[in-house]
């Protein structure tokens, strides 16, 4: 199913638009921020953290996890996240 059709069907079913995918540069920058965070703090960012920066990174990972669960995350991006975060990126934040 092509992306435009998927967005149209999602809108028809839920009445809500499907959020646009990040472009490659934005994705790479976000993943780099997660990688830097992991190197410094030695844990996966928590979306419920009291620190706003960690919470944003954790929320980004949650969004990527949700996209993957709905078949909207490319295999390339899934593999890149797993290379940086490890298999625990699939665990709920």
């Amino acid at each position: 199913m092509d992306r435009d059709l998927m967005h149209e069907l999602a809108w028809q079913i839920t009445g809500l638009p499907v959020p646009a995918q990040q472009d490659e540069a934005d994705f790479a920058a976000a993943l780099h921020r997660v990688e830097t965070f992991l190197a410094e703090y030695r844990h996966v960012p928590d979306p419920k953290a009291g620190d706003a920066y960690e919470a944003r990174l954790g929320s980004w990972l949650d969004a990527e996890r949700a996209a993957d669960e709905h078949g909207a995350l490319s295999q390339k991006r899934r593999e890149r996240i797993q290379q940086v975060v490890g298999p625990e990126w699939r665990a709920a934040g």
Side-chain angles (χ1 to χ4, degrees):
M1 174 181 310
D2 76 352
R3 187 163 304 280
D4 290 335
L5 179 58
M6 181 181 76
H7 287 220
E8 177 63 24
L9 291 173
W11 179 80
Q12 289 176 13
I13 293 168
T14 66
L16 301 171
V18 174
Q21 282 280 330
Q22 287 178 302
D23 68 24
E24 272 308 306
D26 289 342
F27 175 84
L31 188 56
H32 179 72
R33 287 189 293 273
V34 169
E35 184 173 30
T36 301
F37 180 91
L38 284 166
E40 185 172 346
Y41 297 101
R42 306 275 187 229
H43 67 87
V44 176
D46 182 354
K48 297 175 185 138
D51 177 73
Y53 183 69
E54 179 179 356
R56 276 195 311 274
L57 293 177
S59 293
W60 180 80
L61 280 173
D62 273 358
E64 297 303 298
R65 185 180 305 108
D68 189 40
E69 289 169 356
H70 291 94
L73 187 67
S74 72
Q75 180 175 346
K76 178 181 174 184
R77 288 185 179 195
R78 181 183 318 109
E79 289 170 355
R80 288 174 63 194
I81 294 170
Q82 189 155 346
Q83 286 173 345
V84 169
V85 181
E88 61 270 17
W89 89 274
R90 299 285 302 139

